[in-house]
Amino acid sequence: QSALTQPRSVSGSPGQSVTISCTGTSSDVGGYNHVSWYQQHPGKAPKLMIFDVSKRPSGVPDRFSGSKSANTASLTISGLQAEDEADYYCFSYASSHTYVFGTGTKVTVL
Amino acid sequence: EVQLVESGGGLVQPGGSLRLSCAASGFTFSSYEMNWVRQAPGKGLEWVSYIDIGGNTRYYADSVKGRFTISRDNAKNSLYLQMDSLRAEDTAVYYCARDGPIPAAGYCDYWGQGTLVTVSS
């Protein structure tokens, strides 16, 4: 159950786009469409932003989008806003009835 | 409004036990699979355990298998995590999280605010 690999940090200016990658294996990200993304502000609980690779829950701005290619999933934030500054984690079903999170990425709005 | 409220955290010595509870409201608890997720201080999220709606199917991370037991009481709208043989590395905020609205959804759509467990002598 090794954690999925994410970049430690990404940054962008307001209005720009940033993309966070989440790399796993064929036993997790590449093998299933159960990939989700969570936003976490300091001291707060995580919030679901994307599920089933690319679906947005009600209330999540359409600036957030998800995709997947082979063993790598991605979260893109378009039109970056100050309130998007947070930690982001990917999450995937893995084989043997387990789940695994990514290592986490800090998004900084310059 | 969906609410998940964890309780039972605190300071415990290595080798000790603790039972966490999660009180659910605002939805039909008995219709949803549930999870526990933890976060060590300054670290990332770690999935801990899953339970199905009837409590018959339970999954665990390798790091807690054999030491932690997840359970639920649908009549009391409550989720539990019995933690035994605690280690310093179990120190974390423990979150209760609801699984998505379909069977084996594979994601957590609502989260509690967490309860802190500290394992130290």
Side-chain angles (χ1 to χ4, degrees):
Chain A
Q1 291 175 348
S2 298
L4 307 174
T5 301
Q6 297 181 228
R8 198 169 183 85
S9 64
V10 299
S11 61
S13 299
Q16 289 186 330
S17 293
V18 295
T19 296
I20 303 167
S21 60
C22 169
T23 301
T25 68
S26 58
S27 296
D28 38 63
V29 173
Y32 310 93
N33 283 328
H34 286 316
V35 178
S36 51
W37 289 89
Y38 302 83
Q39 176 191 67
Q40 187 180 35
H41 287 107
K44 301 294 186 181
K47 175 187 175 184
L48 177 67
M49 304 303 284
I50 295 287
F51 66 98
D52 290 353
V53 176
S54 60
K55 298 176 182 177
R56 266 189 321 275
S58 172
V60 172
D62 59 7
R63 305 183 287 103
F64 292 86
S65 62
S67 63
K68 190 184 83 165
S69 177
N71 297 336
T72 298
S74 298
L75 174 72
T76 297
I77 310 173
S78 305
L80 200 60
Q81 297 185 6
E83 59 262 36
D84 299 333
E85 186 162 295
D87 293 326
Y88 291 82
Y89 296 89
C90 59
F91 181 63
S92 173
Y93 177 79
S95 56
S96 303
H97 303 297
T98 60
Y99 295 87
V100 61
F101 278 98
T103 50
T105 298
K106 180 175 180 58
V107 171
T108 301
V109 182
L110 301 171
Chain B
E1 178 193 4
V2 172
Q3 283 203 317
L4 298 168
V5 180
E6 302 93 338
S7 60
L11 175 64
V12 60
Q13 292 189 338
S17 298
L18 211 56
R19 188 196 196 205
L20 306 184
S21 298
C22 171
S25 61
F27 65 101
T28 304
F29 179 72
S30 59
S31 297
Y32 286 82
E33 298 155 10
M34 299 293 295
N35 297 272
W36 286 100
V37 174
R38 69 184 181 183
Q39 186 170 35
K43 303 296 185 182
L45 299 171
E46 180 187 14
W47 172 79
V48 172
S49 185
Y50 156 97
I51 190 167
D52 74 349
I53 59 174
N56 299 311
T57 299
R58 313 173 196 202
Y59 304 138
Y60 300 93
D62 287 345
S63 57
V64 306
K65 199 174 295 183
R67 300 187 300 119
F68 289 12
T69 302
I70 190 172
S71 63
R72 65 190 297 161
D73 185 335
N74 288 339
K76 294 183 177 181
N77 292 334
S78 293
L79 176 72
Y80 305 103
L81 186 68
Q82 176 66 41
M83 304 186 295
D84 299 320
S85 302
L86 283 161
R87 307 166 179 165
E89 54 265 36
D90 295 318
T91 294
V93 172
Y94 285 74
Y95 294 102
C96 161
R98 192 183 82 168
D99 220 60
I102 62 172
Y107 61 91
C108 299
D109 61 355
Y110 285 93
W111 298 64
Q113 285 304 303
T115 186
L116 176 63
V117 172
T118 303
V119 184
S120 174
S121 54

